[in-house]
């Protein structure tokens, strides 16, 4: 009987090891795809269509995930944005990814110290509020984004953009929050 338990343990350990290797290989492939810049170029195309003079802005992909509970059920909601920023100005447009193409919703919103009431950093993201205190959006710009499933569909590597956004955000927070 102890021999059977040892075989089960070895089998489970082997299964876990294979699953980890498959995950790591998939992650490496998606990261490499993100380095090609294909998905980020599609985000840039959205910005170019909607923002006059977009060449003077830094373009990036931003994302946010929130949990909402109804009763004892928790639902996750994923939000994706094409953003463009330069000192004092942040352009934000919600985007969707379907069939390998990015589409956008609306014409985008320009956020500045003149129309923002407060910025509230929370974790690795930041929430943006208007003058009346209504939350407009919240998101984070990650240096590495890899496709996980239909809810996290992008392969985007944006180390420079993420670092630039972090500096931009510090400056905007000081301008808006005082």
């Amino acid at each position: 009987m102890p021999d059977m338990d040892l075989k089960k343990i070895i089998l489970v350990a082997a299964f876990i090891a294979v699953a980890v290797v498959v995950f790591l290989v998939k992650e490496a492939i998606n990261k490499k795809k993100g380095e090609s810049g294909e998905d980020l170029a599609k985000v840039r195309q959205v910005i170019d269509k909607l923002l006059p003079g977009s060449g003077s802005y830094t373009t990036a992909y931003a994302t946010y995930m929130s949990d909402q509970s109804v009763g004892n059920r928790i639902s996750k909601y994923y939000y994706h944005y094409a953003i463009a920023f330069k000192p004092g100005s942040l352009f934000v447009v919600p985007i969707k990814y379907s069939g390998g193409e990015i589409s956008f919703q609306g014409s985008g919103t320009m956020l500045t110290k003149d129309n923002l009431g407060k910025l509230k950093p929370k974790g690795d993201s930041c929430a943006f509020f208007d003058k009346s205190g209504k939350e407009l959006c919240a998101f984070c710009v990650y240096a590495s984004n890899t496709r996980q499933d239909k809810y996290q569909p992008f392969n985007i590597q944006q180390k420079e953009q993420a670092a630039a956004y972090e500096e931009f955000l510090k400056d905007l927070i000081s301008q808006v929050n005082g």
Side-chain angles (χ1 to χ4, degrees), residues 32-62:
K32 197 59 122 177
K33 285 180 181 176
E35 289 169 357
S36 77
E38 185 180 327
D39 283 351
L40 187 56
K42 291 176 183 178
V43 169
R44 195 170 288 114
Q45 287 173 351
V46 169
I47 295 296
D48 291 345
K49 285 180 190 172
L50 298 174
L51 181 63
S54 62
S56 63
Y57 288 77
T58 300
T59 300
Y61 163 69

Side-chain angles (χ1 to χ4, degrees), residues 37-50 59-62 79-83 93-106 147 152-156 158:
E38 185 180 327
D39 283 351
L40 187 56
K42 291 176 183 178
V43 169
R44 195 170 288 114
Q45 287 173 351
V46 169
I47 295 296
D48 291 345
K49 285 180 190 172
L50 298 174
T59 300
Y61 163 69
Y79 304 91
H80 308 281
Y81 302 95
I83 67 166
V93 61
I95 58 174
K96 283 188 176 181
Y97 189 88
S98 179
E101 293 304 315
I102 295 176
S103 61
F104 53 91
Q105 302 166 310
R147 181 174 292 126
Q152 297 169 306
F154 297 97
N155 284 320
I156 295 177
Q158 55 182 5

Side-chain angles (χ1 to χ4, degrees), residues 66-115:
S66 70
D67 291 330
Q68 296 180 3
S69 58
V70 178
N72 59 358
R73 182 174 167 222
I74 296 176
S75 296
K76 290 189 182 302
Y77 293 90
Y78 295 86
Y79 304 91
H80 308 281
Y81 302 95
I83 67 166
F85 56 94
K86 66 180 183 181
S89 300
L90 172 63
F91 183 74
V92 180
V93 61
I95 58 174
K96 283 188 176 181
Y97 189 88
S98 179
E101 293 304 315
I102 295 176
S103 61
F104 53 91
Q105 302 166 310
S107 56
T109 303
M110 182 64 74
L111 303 175
T112 67
K113 67 179 182 177
D114 297 328
N115 63 5

